Amino acid sequence: MAIRKSDVTEAALAVLQRDGIDALSLRAVADHLGVRHNTVRWHVSTKAHLLELMSDRVLAGCTEPPLPTEPMARVREILTRVRDALLAHRDGARLLTGVFTTGPETLSFAENVISSLIEAGYTPREATWLHWSAFYFVLGLTSEQQADARDRFQGLEKGLAEGSYPTLHVVGRYLASDDYDERFAFGIDALVKKPSDPPPAAR
């Protein structure tokens, strides 16, 4: 059976879902496909290239219509879809973090977000950098969520009770919040707004 590059990408995503990103390798993908290691390497050459293909594939469909006509609502919808796509893949946020790809899905994501921000009144520079800021926010928050870091604040209560950090003591319940949907909504509201909009109110 002839193996295509798309088959290698899909197999790699299956390995990721089954074993996690730390176990992902060209050999693991070859074993999953039942082919020789060199067959996979012929299609993707390196693991770095494989990660680029996988990252682009994860974003598939994030900009497909229908999308809102209002530009800022469009940006929010696309970013929400990106978060959903990351959460749909085991270690999805870790996969995309630090990977630079010029695949069609990635470029479509950037094109739609940046053009929407420019339409809303941002300058090209502002729109481009806000696109990056929003994307990094989504990656960071989703990475924390996927790490299942429920014990990440272990000892926080004791540390704050010692009185050295009075402000953190007051906001401790927000620091320890694992309501990722609410944190995502607040962060997107703070970042993705028209240039003239006031900052979001705390909920």
Side-chain angles (χ1 to χ4, degrees), residues 33-123:
L33 286 168
V35 299
R36 293 180 179 273
H37 173 259
N38 285 344
T39 301
V40 171
R41 185 172 290 279
W42 187 84
H43 284 289
V44 299
S45 68
T46 65
K47 182 178 178 180
H49 182 46
L50 177 62
L51 293 176
E52 292 172 5
L53 295 171
M54 295 170 66
S55 296
D56 193 62
R57 180 65 183 83
V58 166
L59 296 178
C62 290
T63 59
E64 288 184 358
L67 286 169
T69 55
E70 199 279 320
M72 302 312 287
R74 192 183 313 137
V75 173
R76 288 187 180 91
E77 173 63 21
I78 292 171
L79 291 172
T80 299
R81 292 182 185 183
V82 168
R83 178 183 180 233
D84 291 343
L86 296 177
L87 289 172
H89 293 82
R90 180 177 178 181
D91 295 333
R94 285 184 62 194
L95 170 65
L96 269 71
T97 299
V99 174
F100 181 81
T101 176
T102 56
E105 300 294 345
T106 304
L107 294 181
S108 179
F109 165 54
E111 171 71 22
N112 278 269
V113 171
I114 294 172
S115 65
S116 297
L117 293 171
I118 291 174
E119 182 183 341
Y122 285 94
T123 67

Side-chain angles (χ1 to χ4, degrees), residues 130-148:
L130 180 53
H131 156 70
W132 283 123
S133 297
F135 184 49
Y136 293 148
F137 164 72
V138 175
L139 281 180
L141 185 65
T142 309
S143 180
E144 179 186 322
Q145 182 174 357
Q146 290 187 311
D148 192 24

Side-chain angles (χ1 to χ4, degrees), residues 130-201:
L130 180 53
H131 156 70
W132 283 123
S133 297
F135 184 49
Y136 293 148
F137 164 72
V138 175
L139 281 180
L141 185 65
T142 309
S143 180
E144 179 186 322
Q145 182 174 357
Q146 290 187 311
D148 192 24
R150 285 171 292 186
D151 297 328
R152 66 196 182 286
F153 295 114
Q154 187 175 10
L156 177 63
E157 183 176 355
K158 177 180 181 297
L160 297 183
E162 294 174 354
S164 299
Y165 310 99
T167 302
L168 297 185
H169 176 74
V170 171
V171 304
R173 67 188 181 96
Y174 301 115
L175 283 175
S177 173
D178 60 358
D179 189 338
Y180 291 100
D181 291 341
E182 186 174 11
R183 289 171 61 187
F184 174 78
F186 180 86
I188 292 300
D189 285 346
L191 287 166
V192 181
K193 55 188 179 65
K194 292 181 180 179
S196 59
D197 284 347

